[in-house]
């Protein structure tokens, strides 16, 4: 019994954990979109405040046209990149990251959130592109700061 336990512990120790590599830009595998009837600058500020309140640190920003060619050049737009959030698990670690895109379209603003988690356990990494509860909380905080209805 003792040899088996020692063998298992040694195997886990020698195998180490798989490394999770998360890019700064997340592709649109499962984007969440919502429109708000508010100005572009107000929406960007509300998105930043919502992320900060929920513990997501913004690590950078950029122009979505750098990564995607779908946007029209006349609209205002920005992409906010979050830092990676790391959560220790019993036999591994979960890494989470999100991108928030804000697009000003005429008299409203479209906010898109892209989310990814990588759960790293010995010998395997599992990627997930959905987290409805987290994204819904972010949208609720944005709406609270904007004090306007969303669609």
């Amino acid at each position: 019994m003792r040899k088996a336990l020692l063998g298992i512990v040694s195997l886990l120790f020698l195998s180490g954990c798989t490394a999770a590599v998360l890019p700064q830009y997340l592709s649109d595998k499962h984007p969440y979109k919502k429109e708000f009837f508010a100005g572009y600058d107000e929406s960007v500020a509300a998105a930043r405040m919502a992320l900060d309140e929920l513990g997501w640190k913004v690590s950078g920003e950029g122009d979505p046209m750098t990564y995607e060619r779908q946007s029209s050049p006349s609209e205002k737009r920005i992409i906010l990149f979050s830092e990676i959030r790391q959560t220790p698990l019993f036999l591994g670690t979960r890494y989470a990251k999100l991108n928030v895109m804000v697009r000003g379209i005429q008299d409203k603003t479209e906010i898109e959130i892209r989310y990814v988690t990588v759960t790293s356990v010995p010998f395997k990494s599992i990627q997930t592109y959905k987290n409805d509860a987290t994204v819904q909380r972010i949208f609720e905080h944005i709406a609270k700061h904007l004090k306007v209805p969303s669609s």
Side-chain angles (χ1 to χ4, degrees):
M1 172 70 174
R2 191 171 148 173
K3 281 186 176 183
L5 183 61
L6 182 62
I8 291 171
V9 170
S10 297
L11 180 65
L12 288 174
F13 181 74
L14 292 174
S15 68
C17 290
T18 57
V21 178
L22 293 173
Q24 183 170 338
Y25 169 77
L26 303 175
S27 63
D28 60 347
K29 293 204 176 174
H30 192 278
Y32 297 88
K33 293 182 183 181
K34 206 166 216 185
E35 289 184 345
F36 294 91
F37 297 99
Y40 171 79
D41 294 327
E42 298 170 81
S43 298
V44 172
R48 287 180 184 277
M49 285 189 280
L51 292 174
D52 187 53
E53 284 177 1
L54 294 170
W56 291 93
K57 291 183 175 45
V58 175
S59 64
E61 61 183 53
D63 185 352
M65 288 285 286
T66 306
Y67 306 99
E68 299 178 350
R69 301 292 177 219
Q70 302 167 12
S71 302
S72 82
S74 62
E75 69 184 26
K76 289 183 174 181
R77 62 204 173 274
I78 191 170
I79 182 170
L80 305 174
F81 303 107
S82 77
E83 289 184 355
I84 296 172
R85 289 174 80 172
Q86 183 175 344
T87 307
L89 304 173
F90 178 65
L91 285 177
T93 306
R94 177 175 295 132
Y95 304 93
K97 183 170 181 54
L98 56 82
N99 292 164
V100 178
M101 292 189 197
V102 182
R103 293 182 191 92
I105 306 167
Q106 295 171 0
D107 60 340
K108 60 188 174 192
T109 305
E110 179 186 79
I111 297 180
E112 178 179 327
I113 299 175
R114 297 177 183 181
Y115 181 91
V116 66
T117 58
V118 176
T119 304
S120 179
V121 294
F123 306 112
K124 189 166 181 117
S125 288
I126 303 160
Q127 283 190 344
T128 308
Y129 292 92
K130 288 178 61 173
N131 191 331
D132 297 338
T134 298
V135 172
Q136 187 59 37
R137 261 195 323 265
I138 294 169
F139 279 138
E140 287 170 359
H141 278 259
I142 291 170
K144 178 182 79 171
H145 288 294
L146 291 174
K147 298 177 182 136
V148 294
S150 63
S151 64

